[in-house]
């Protein structure tokens, strides 16, 4: 069979298909001052996406509409507005079954509306990327930032990453495809960020050249056959229908699920290489560590600066991926910490629960502050939580979660 | 797909399962004239099935699969229900995803195939039960039609939820006593063929699967029209003999009874003007081709 590399050739927009490592790690970068939504557009412009399916829900509507502009400009194979998030995720599945690189975005109630699809995506080994711009879940209705939906996504078998900044977002959209399309992974990725804080604020982002794009998705580099009637065997469903009431059927289903989670584990090595580790630490030897994901990390950085002024030294652990879960990394990073503070933008404290399940001496962990329903997380409330843990009296702050 | 792709390396031919050898040597992929008459003389694209003995769905599957004009480039989308137990035995790529989202999956699939294979025909055919098509999946069924997605939707209408044990469905007749309709269904059978027409389908047929030649005709028409113009819809009566208390041998008679002129499944079709034109053009071309072949044959003789 003839094999030819597309690297170095041009797509119809004149972009050069570039080795992803060269494009992401070596190519010159230029700065731009963009909103998170514009950053999503710029990443997708360079991602060689075949199909994008959109549905409006704040705070992702702008990004989803901007990608429509990319389609109109000819950067995307096909694009349309579906009728609901449930339908959109089914449409994404169909496109991915047919061998396309697929992109979509959703948030909050949309994530929940679509939920039945996510374990199906993982089980069918569809490397779809969905951007989740987290927002509150009903009821009452809220459009404000809140990360509760991530706690549902992490049980689906999808890869789940949590971006802190627009720069993370830009890089991880592109790198995300490289990880989730690896044949030994081949899983969907939920790339999450905190709605508004990332999507609607402007930030300086270093972009790769516009005339470079990722190599296209190769649907035949896959652990499961592409449903396009181009590859044998022809008597084949993508996910075997094993719904019979007998032991063999149960065992098949059980091993299929185990394989999905084994693939999540196998994504670890690729993710570590692409994201430079699943966590990032600063002043890791401090007695007090702030462990967080998403924009709680940014608020934590500010709190650390304030505490420094008081002579209190605090270290930081930024968690980049929730699935795969960096349990060992967190255990190692926190092994000497006397106090572990976990601030979160949700009411249940799912991140603290995950961390508690991974470390010894969990009474070191303070699952606070928690803000939700759209409340912001001023660094002062993190400071006061830390001082509290140290037995230092502080004045009570209004707006504390 | 060309047949080349599924050719077995000669060294390995004898160790391949006979079933697969037959698929490569005796199936009708690539034969433009394939149809219901091949049943019994060639390798069928459906091997076995795990439906109840005598279930008319099994006949429907055989007729439809024998009639696909382009099986080597057709992908099917199913849904949860009795049909999903058959799909693993079908020798063309097929997708089971969730219960009710079949027309959403097919929309994404068809578009992906159009992006990936420009200029080539890749047919997409949905085949799902009435619960999947009309109840849980109705919004996606209709929205795909509104959007003029270019694929065929086939509904196996057995007028109930068979796979879960015979519950009321939207396509059940009014007054029928079933599980979850303990005092009889309270509203009329949903008129999906009419809804399909209003929603933009170009070719719609409502009938039973008692006659294989008829199924061949309507399946081919539905697929040709979907390919060129937009959505098409077939609603086929495949009675659930188990739940209506019939024996294995009684399915065919049940369908014949239901297709009498005043009955629910009396043959009914709707063809849009562009679809009529397309089918007429195709028929004319076909006639020309046959005439030319005949002339050639007579010259040769
Ligand atoms: C979300 C969801 N709801 C309900 C079910 C249960 N369920 C499976 S098959 C089925 C009935 C299928 O009925 P129909 O589409 O008419 O197909 P039939 O079995 O009659 O051929 C139902 C309700 C399911 N699998 N998923
Ligand atoms: S339950 Fe009904 S529809 Fe399902 S296989 Fe049996 S007879 Fe056919
Ligand atoms: Mg039914």
């Amino acid at each position: 069979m003839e094999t030819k590399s597309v690297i170095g050739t041009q797509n119809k927009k004149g972009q050069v298909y570039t080795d992803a490592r060269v494009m992401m790690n070596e190519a010159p970068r230029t700065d731009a001052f963009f909103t998170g939504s514009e950053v999503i557009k710029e990443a997708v412009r360079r991602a060689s996406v075949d199909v994008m399916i959109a549905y409006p829900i704040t705070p992702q509507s702008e990004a989803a509409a901007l990608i429509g502009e990319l389609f109109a400009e000819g950067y995307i194979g096909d694009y349309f507005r579906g009728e609901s998030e449930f339908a959109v995720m089914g449409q994404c599945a169909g496109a991915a079954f047919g061998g396309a690189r697929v992109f979509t975005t959703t948030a909050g109630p949309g994530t929940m509306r679509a939920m039945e699809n996510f374990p199906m995506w993982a089980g069918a080994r569809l490397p779809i990327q969905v951007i989740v711009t987290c927002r509150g879940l009903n009821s009452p209705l809220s459009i404000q930032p809140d990360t509760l939906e991530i706690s549902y996504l992490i049980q689906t078998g999808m890869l789940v990453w949590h971006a802190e900044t627009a720069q993370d977002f830009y890089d991880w959209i592109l790198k995300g495809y490289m990880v989730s399309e690896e044949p030994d992974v081949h899983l969907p990725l939920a790339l999450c960020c905190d709605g508004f804080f990332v999507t609607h604020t402007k930030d300086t982002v270093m972009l790769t050249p516009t005339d470079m794009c990722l190599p296209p998705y190769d649907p035949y580099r896959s652990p499961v056959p592409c449903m396009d009637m181009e590859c044998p065997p022809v008597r084949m469903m993508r996910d075997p229908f094993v719904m019979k009431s007998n032991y063999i059927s149960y065992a098949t289903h059980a091993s299929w699920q185990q394989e999905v989670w084994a693939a999540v584990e196998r994504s670890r090595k690729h993710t570590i290489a692409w994201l430079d580790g699943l966590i990032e630490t600063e002043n890791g030897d401090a007695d007090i560590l702030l462990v967080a994901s998403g924009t709680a990390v940014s608020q934590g950085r500010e709190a650390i600066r304030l505490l420094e002024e008081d002579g209190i030294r605090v270290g930081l652990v930024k968690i980049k991926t929730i699935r795969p879960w960096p349990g060992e990394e967190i255990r190692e990073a926190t092994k000497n910490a006397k106090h572990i503070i976990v601030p979160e933008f949700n009411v249940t404290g799912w991140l603290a629960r995950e961390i508690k399940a991974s470390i010894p001496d969990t009474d070191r962990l303070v699952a606070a502050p928690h803000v939700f329903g759209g409340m912001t997380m001023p660094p002062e409330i993190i400071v006061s939580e830390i001082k509290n843990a140290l037995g230092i009296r502080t004045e009570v702050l209004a707006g504390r979660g | 797909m060309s047949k080349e792709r599924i050719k077995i390396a000669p060294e390995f031919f004898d160790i391949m399962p006979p079933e697969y050898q037959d698929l490569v040597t005796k199936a009708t992929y690539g034969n433009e004239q394939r149809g219901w008459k091949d049943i019994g003389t060639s390798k069928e694209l459906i091997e076995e099935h795990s439906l109840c003995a005598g279930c008319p769905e099994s006949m429907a599957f055989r007729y439809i699969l024998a009639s696909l004009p382009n099986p080597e480039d057709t992908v099917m989308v199913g849904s949860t229900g009795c049909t999903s137990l058959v799909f693993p035995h079908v020798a063309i790529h097929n997708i089971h995803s969730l219960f009710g989202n079949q027309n959403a999956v097919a929309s994404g699939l068809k578009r992906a195939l159009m992006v990936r294979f420009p200029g080539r025909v890749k047919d997409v055919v949905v085949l799902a039960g009435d619960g999947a098509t009309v109840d849980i999946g109705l919004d996606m069924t209709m929205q795909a039609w509104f959007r003029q997605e270019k694929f065929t939707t086939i509904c196996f209408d057995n007028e109930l939820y068979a796979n879960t044990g015979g519950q009321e469905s939207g396509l059940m007749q009014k007054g029928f006593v079933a599980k979850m309709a303990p005092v009889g269904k309270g509203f009329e059978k949903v008129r999906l063929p009419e809804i399909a027409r209003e929603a933009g389908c170009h070719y719609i047929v409502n009938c039973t699967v008692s006659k294989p030649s008829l199924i061949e005709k309507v399946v081919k028409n539905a697929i040709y029209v979907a390919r060129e113009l937009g959505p098409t819809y077939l609603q086929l009566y495949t009675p659930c003999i188990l739940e209506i208390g019939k024996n294995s041998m009684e399915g065919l008679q049940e369908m014949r009874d239901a297709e009498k002129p005043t009955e629910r499944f009396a043959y009914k079709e709707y063809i849009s003007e562009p679809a009529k034109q397309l089918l007429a053009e195709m028929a004319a071309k076909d006639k020309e081709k046959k005439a030319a072949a005949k002339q050639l044959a007579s010259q040769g003789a």
Side-chain angles (χ1 to χ4, degrees):
Chain A
M1 206 170 84
E2 193 190 9
T3 53
K4 240 188 342 211
S5 170
V6 296
I7 303 290
T9 63
Q10 287 187 0
N11 68 12
K12 66 176 182 186
K13 295 300 290 180
Q15 292 174 305
V16 178
Y17 292 117
T18 307
D19 182 304
R21 285 194 172 73
V22 172
M23 173 167 143
M24 298 310 295
N25 301 335
E26 295 166 25
R29 298 241 179 171
T30 46
D31 63 313
F33 191 55
F34 275 154
T35 65
S37 305
E38 289 164 336
V39 166
I40 296 174
K41 176 186 183 186
E42 287 313 312
V44 172
R45 188 196 296 280
R46 297 154 172 84
S48 305
V49 168
D50 297 305
V51 176
M52 152 73 182
I53 305 160
Y55 195 78
I57 184 168
T58 308
Q60 57 83 58
S61 306
E62 188 191 355
L66 287 173
I67 295 163
E69 291 178 12
L70 281 183
F71 166 67
E73 290 171 39
Y75 284 96
I76 296 188
D78 204 350
Y79 172 96
F80 68 101
R81 174 201 54 82
E83 58 268 43
S84 73
E85 289 84 356
F86 178 77
V88 165
M89 302 311 160
Q91 286 147 359
C92 287
F97 273 119
R101 179 177 285 161
V102 183
F103 185 81
T104 189
T105 53
T106 192
T111 307
M112 302 308 283
R113 180 70 60 103
M115 192 57 73
E116 190 188 359
N117 287 273
F118 297 135
M120 178 272 288
W121 284 6
R125 308 301 291 271
L126 305 168
I128 300 161
Q129 188 172 137
V130 53
I131 296 285
V132 182
T133 63
C134 300
R135 74 172 246 192
L137 305 178
N138 301 353
S139 188
L141 180 63
S142 161
I143 62 164
Q144 303 301 335
D146 191 315
T147 62
L148 194 54
E149 65 203 271
I150 297 179
S151 68
Y152 294 84
L153 288 167
I154 59 182
Q155 307 299 345
T156 58
M158 295 173 79
L159 307 177
V160 181
W161 298 359
H162 196 181
E164 177 195 353
T165 60
Q167 186 70 57
D168 282 350
F169 229 39
Y170 179 78
D171 290 334
W172 295 3
I173 287 171
L174 296 159
K175 292 174 175 180
Y177 278 119
M178 296 300 100
V179 174
S180 64
E181 289 170 4
E182 283 288 350
D184 65 344
V185 179
H186 226 265
L187 285 175
L189 166 64
L191 178 42
C192 306
C193 76
D194 302 352
F196 290 105
F197 297 137
V198 178
T199 52
H200 286 58
T201 53
K202 280 199 164 189
D203 202 354
T204 303
V205 184
M206 302 301 291
L207 304 177
T208 55
T210 346
D211 59 359
M212 286 186 182
C213 63
L214 289 182
Y217 170 52
D218 178 355
Y220 308 115
R221 251 182 105 243
S222 159
V224 279
C226 177
M227 295 289 104
D228 61 0
M229 278 306 271
E230 291 293 318
C231 58
V234 285
R235 198 185 293 295
M236 176 57 77
M237 295 177 91
R238 176 68 162 258
D239 43 338
F241 199 86
V242 294
M243 201 194 69
K244 301 263 164 72
S245 299
N246 59 44
Y247 181 74
I248 299 281
S249 160
Y250 308 148
T252 308
H253 208 287
S255 56
W256 193 270
Q257 289 194 48
Q258 285 174 319
E259 161 52 21
V260 168
W261 285 95
V264 173
E265 286 307 302
R266 292 193 298 263
S267 76
R268 220 173 257 283
K269 57 182 181 295
H270 304 294
T271 317
I272 290 170
W274 277 111
L275 302 192
D276 200 17
L278 307 183
I279 65 169
E280 209 171 274
T281 52
E282 280 169 38
N283 297 331
D285 59 338
D287 282 347
I288 312 161
L289 285 183
L290 225 149
V291 186
S293 64
T295 55
V297 176
S298 318
Q299 299 309 92
R301 290 183 208 278
E302 201 47 30
I304 290 170
R305 201 185 54 75
L306 293 175
L307 285 160
E308 227 170 59
E309 290 170 4
D310 290 348
I312 302 171
R313 187 162 175 270
V314 179
L316 179 74
V317 177
K318 165 176 169 171
I319 299 176
K320 302 183 210 175
T321 65
I322 316 296
R323 293 288 180 271
W325 173 245
E328 219 157 283
E329 285 92 335
I330 293 169
R331 190 158 52 245
E332 184 60 28
T334 57
K335 70 173 184 233
N336 297 321
K338 297 201 173 65
H339 304 281
I340 300 166
I341 316 295
V342 184
E344 290 183 61
F345 277 95
N346 66 76
V347 66
T348 64
W350 56 262
L351 183 63
R353 273 206 307 269
E354 291 279 309
I355 297 170
K356 274 188 188 164
S358 302
I359 61 168
D361 306 321
T362 52
D363 49 0
R364 295 179 293 161
L365 189 145
V366 177
H370 289 166
V371 298
F372 36 90
M375 283 194 279
T376 56
M377 189 190 286
E380 290 80 4
I381 67 170
I382 304 177
V383 167
S384 108
E385 223 42 83
I386 290 174
K387 287 192 174 167
N388 203 26
L390 296 174
I392 305 170
R393 278 180 66 89
T394 53
E395 44 187 308
V396 176
L397 282 160
R400 222 179 104 161
Chain B
M1 179 193 81
S2 83
K3 238 178 152 179
E4 276 296 294
R5 283 199 193 265
I6 56 167
K7 219 166 73 181
I8 305 169
E11 298 84 345
F12 294 124
F13 195 91
D14 59 331
I15 61 162
M16 288 297 279
E19 195 274 322
Y20 208 80
Q21 294 174 354
D22 283 353
L23 263 186
V24 175
T25 54
K26 295 197 204 126
T28 48
Y29 302 112
N31 172 9
E32 279 180 31
Q33 302 307 318
R34 67 192 304 276
W36 73 275
K37 285 186 178 147
D38 299 321
I39 293 176
T41 61
S42 69
K43 175 69 178 173
E44 289 179 55
L45 301 186
I46 176 167
E47 180 73 337
E48 346 170 279
H49 66 79
S50 38
L51 300 165
C52 298
C55 175
E57 282 193 1
S58 63
M59 299 159 65
F61 258 105
R62 293 180 76 180
Y63 301 161
I64 291 167
L65 286 165
S67 309
L68 297 175
N70 187 28
E72 60 279 10
D73 278 305
T74 301
V75 184
M76 294 186 78
V77 181
S79 194
T80 319
C82 283
T83 51
S84 50
L85 294 158
V86 181
F87 269 113
H89 307 285
V90 168
I92 62 173
H93 285 165
N94 61 86
I95 297 170
H96 173 267
S97 155
L98 297 173
F99 180 44
N101 71 344
Q102 60 282 343
N103 279 38
V105 171
S107 300
L109 174 69
K110 178 71 189 185
R111 283 159 181 264
L113 296 176
M114 291 203 288
V115 169
R116 290 189 56 223
F117 302 99
R120 269 183 65 185
V121 172
K122 289 271 181 191
D123 294 320
V124 170
V125 178
V126 169
L127 199 171
D130 49 311
T133 308
V134 181
D135 294 333
I136 197 169
L138 183 62
D139 62 342
M140 287 162 282
T141 304
M142 285 178 59
Q143 295 271 358
W145 295 343
F146 296 156
R147 284 195 305 268
Q148 294 287 295
E149 302 284 354
K150 290 181 157 176
F151 62 82
T152 297
T153 303
I154 303 176
C155 172
F156 275 8
D157 182 5
N158 53 15
E159 307 192 294
L160 47 78
Y161 288 73
N163 199 234
T164 38
Q167 294 83 4
E168 177 192 295
S169 101
L171 288 191
M172 182 175 274
Q173 302 169 66
K174 184 175 178 180
F176 198 87
V177 177
K179 289 172 193 141
M180 300 191 188
V183 293
K185 189 185 176 221
F187 62 99
E188 293 292 342
K189 182 176 175 75
V190 172
R191 288 157 58 185
L192 199 61
E194 286 88 341
I195 294 173
R197 186 189 64 209
E198 296 305 315
C201 283
H202 290 273
Y203 182 86
I204 300 157
V205 168
N206 177 61
C207 66
T208 80
V209 295
S210 67
K211 296 185 205 72
S213 56
L214 178 69
I215 296 303
E216 176 178 331
K217 187 181 113 195
V218 301
V219 165
K220 285 186 172 168
N221 283 351
I223 290 174
Y224 290 139
V225 172
R227 215 184 258 176
E228 303 297 330
L229 296 173
T232 57
Y233 175 59
L234 304 178
Q235 185 167 317
L236 308 177
Y237 184 42
T238 55
C240 172
I241 49 174
L242 184 79
E243 292 295 340
I244 60 172
K246 301 269 173 185
N247 290 322
S248 301
M249 302 304 288
E250 294 171 341
L252 187 58
Q253 192 53 50
E254 168 62 26
M255 291 190 281
R256 287 184 176 150
D257 291 343
E259 70 197 11
K260 288 183 180 141
T262 55
E263 287 295 328
R264 323 185 285 299
F265 290 95
Y267 182 86
K268 192 163 66 181
E269 70 177 17
Y270 164 78
I271 311 178
S272 74
E273 282 309 317
K276 275 182 196 156
Q277 208 176 328
L278 176 82
L279 292 173
E281 279 165 19
M282 288 183 72
K285 264 192 209 140
D286 204 42
K287 211 167 147 190
E288 236 171 73
K289 223 155 100 187
K290 275 188 188 138
K294 210 166 160 191
Q295 202 177 3
L296 213 70
S298 65
Q299 277 170 358

